[in-house]
Every structure is written in structure tokens, then in C-alpha cells.
Amino acid sequence: MANLVMIVEDEEALALLLKYNLEKEGFLVKCVNRGNIALAEIEKHQPSVIILDWMLPEMSGVEICKLLRSKPDIKNIPVIMLTAKGEEEDKIKGLTAGADDYVTKPFSIPELVARVKAQMRRAPEPQTATELVFEDIRMDLVEKKVFRGENFIHLGPTEFRLLKMMMETPGKIFSREYLLKNVWGTNIYVETRTVDVHIRRLRKSLNEYGADYIRTVRATGYGLDHTPQNEAEDNA
Ligand code: CA
């Protein structure tokens, strides 16, 4: 299941603390407190990332990790191993068992959350994101709606697709030709200047409620930039 983090940890207080903090970050979380049922739960729920404690009743984290790596349906799920031991030797044992990352207790919650996010980015599941976020711009991919803060931004279908493409790869500058091909499609005849017209419309709608993050690169194209653009440079 996309966006699901499975916590395999028998210390209930720690598991709940992690659950609370990961849910706050928008992840779905499922907790398992015993080693012997962990694999069955992982196979059943197919999480995107597993946080696996080393010391567990019935079966250790290292054993679970080794077994997991031998099962084709779950072997690619990233595993972050938790341990109270800090010795280098244990770390090596954990990593050779197939863990992708290794965190020693006590750890800071923000650090673990950051590591979960890093592993989530390389989770093997198909992209099933339900929203895209860039600065204060939020795109709901299910409802096909765009917001800046609380404000709903009305966009036409072409402007929506243009913004979606840019939000999927922020920082990338897309050429007009590329945008034409991927937003309009190859079998429709439109001039490259049409792109400028739609970018202008997109800007107008978006910028009503905030800074202009659409970057214009003269003679090249458009993309999103975290630094708001100077109005004077806008030649779209
Ligand atoms: Ca434990």
C-alpha cells in the first residue's frame, strides 16, 4: 500500500510515538509488536517502508530482515533497522541482513522521520500520489483542484496539465516544444506561442493568492523555482 509505514516494535510507547509523528507527516501507519507475525503482516499490507526493531519477542529483526529479502513479493521494500546497540559490528550485521538504513536508539524523531521520507522516495511501488505540493501551491490529483493556502484556484484543463507537469519535476525547465508535445499532444497543431498564452493565464490565476514561482527562461521555456520571480523579468 502506497504511503504506508509498518512499525515492527515491541516497545509500545516508542511505537505509538513514532506512529503519531509519522501520521502527522501524512503517512499511513500500522504497528506490529511481535516478530513472528511481522512477515505475515508485511505480506498482507505491502507497506512502502518498514521500521524494524532489532530486539523483538519470538523472532529478531535481523532474522525477519533476512527472511523478507528471500520473499519475492516483499523483498524490495526498504527496511530501516532500529537497535539499542551501538556497536559497529551490529551495524554491519544489520546491513548484511539486508537493512537499507540503520538507526541507533535513542534517536531523534525528526531524524527518523527524515530517513523514512528518504526511503519512501525509493520505495518500489508505482507513483500513486494523490497530491502534489510546491511551496504554498497544492494540487489535489484526485479532485483535480488547485489551492494556495486555503484559496481554491480555478484553472482551465490546459493550465492544470501545465502546472501538473511542472509540479511533478520542480526545478526542471521545460521547453515550449516539450510542453506542447506532452500537454497538448503531438497530433494537434498549435504554435509554440500558444504555450506562452496558457502560461500567462496560469500565472494570472495562481498569482492572485501568492508569489510567482513560475520561472521563465528566455528562449528556452518554463519551470518552477523556489525563488519567486521578479515581475520585470516576466516576458511570458
Ligand atoms: Ca525491542
Side-chain angles (χ1 to χ4, degrees):
M1 189 194 282
N3 214 29
L4 176 70
V5 180
M6 186 167 287
I7 302 172
V8 186
E9 166 64 87
D10 59 313
E11 282 170 57
E12 202 191 343
L14 178 58
L16 288 176
L17 182 67
L18 284 176
K19 184 175 193 280
Y20 170 80
N21 281 281
L22 288 165
E23 282 176 347
K24 215 169 63 180
E25 295 288 326
F27 295 115
L28 298 168
V29 180
K30 188 150 180 47
C31 296
V32 176
N33 62 3
R34 278 157 50 221
N36 58 339
I37 58 164
L39 279 171
E41 289 292 299
I42 291 164
E43 286 190 297
K44 184 172 156 197
H45 298 285
Q46 300 279 328
S48 296
V49 174
I50 301 163
I51 298 175
L52 181 59
D53 188 32
W54 181 296
M55 302 290 279
L56 289 164
E58 279 120 18
M59 191 188 275
S60 80
V62 173
E63 280 175 81
I64 292 168
C65 200
K66 276 185 190 159
L67 284 169
L68 181 145
R69 293 301 181 223
S70 69
K71 291 179 181 284
D73 59 330
I74 52 173
K75 69 174 186 180
N76 291 324
I77 302 174
V79 172
I80 301 172
M81 187 84 86
L82 298 183
T83 182
K85 308 167 181 185
E87 284 107 28
E88 202 58 21
E89 193 184 310
D90 288 334
K91 180 173 178 173
I92 291 161
K93 214 186 280 176
L95 292 173
T96 51
D100 298 275
D101 200 357
Y102 187 95
V103 178
T104 307
K105 295 177 187 175
F107 50 82
S108 82
I109 296 288
E111 190 198 341
L112 186 65
V113 169
R115 289 186 185 216
V116 168
K117 285 182 182 171
Q119 293 300 331
M120 191 64 84
R121 282 195 285 274
R122 45 176 299 268
E125 296 176 39
Q127 261 301 351
T128 47
T130 55
E131 68 168 30
L132 295 170
V133 176
F134 184 85
E135 295 285 344
D136 61 336
I137 306 167
R138 186 169 62 83
M139 176 176 278
D140 183 328
L141 297 171
V142 180
E143 299 283 330
K144 296 205 186 306
K145 285 179 177 169
V146 176
F147 298 88
R148 287 198 86 161
E150 297 300 308
N151 303 300
F152 168 69
I153 311 281
H154 181 78
L155 296 179
T158 304
E159 286 75 39
F160 184 90
R161 288 199 299 272
L162 273 172
L163 181 62
K164 178 167 181 272
M165 182 148 290
M166 293 194 285
M167 287 182 79
E168 280 168 342
T169 319
K172 179 176 168 176
I173 300 298
F174 297 93
S175 70
R176 290 175 177 81
E177 291 73 20
Y178 182 92
L179 290 171
L180 272 181
K181 195 176 151 199
N182 291 281
V183 172
W184 278 263
T186 41
N187 49 1
I188 298 167
Y189 181 75
V190 259
E191 290 180 84
T192 49
R193 276 175 56 188
T194 308
V195 178
D196 301 337
V197 172
H198 285 273
I199 288 280
R200 199 179 303 144
R201 279 188 205 159
L202 173 61
R203 269 208 169 103
K204 190 160 181 276
S205 308
L206 267 186
N207 298 356
E208 206 174 316
Y209 296 106
D212 184 8
Y213 291 115
I214 300 174
R215 186 171 170 204
T216 305
V217 178
R218 207 178 289 263
T220 307
Y222 302 98
L224 289 181
D225 193 315
H226 288 283
T227 311
Q229 301 305 293
N230 184 335
E231 289 294 324
E233 286 170 9
D234 174 11
N235 63 340

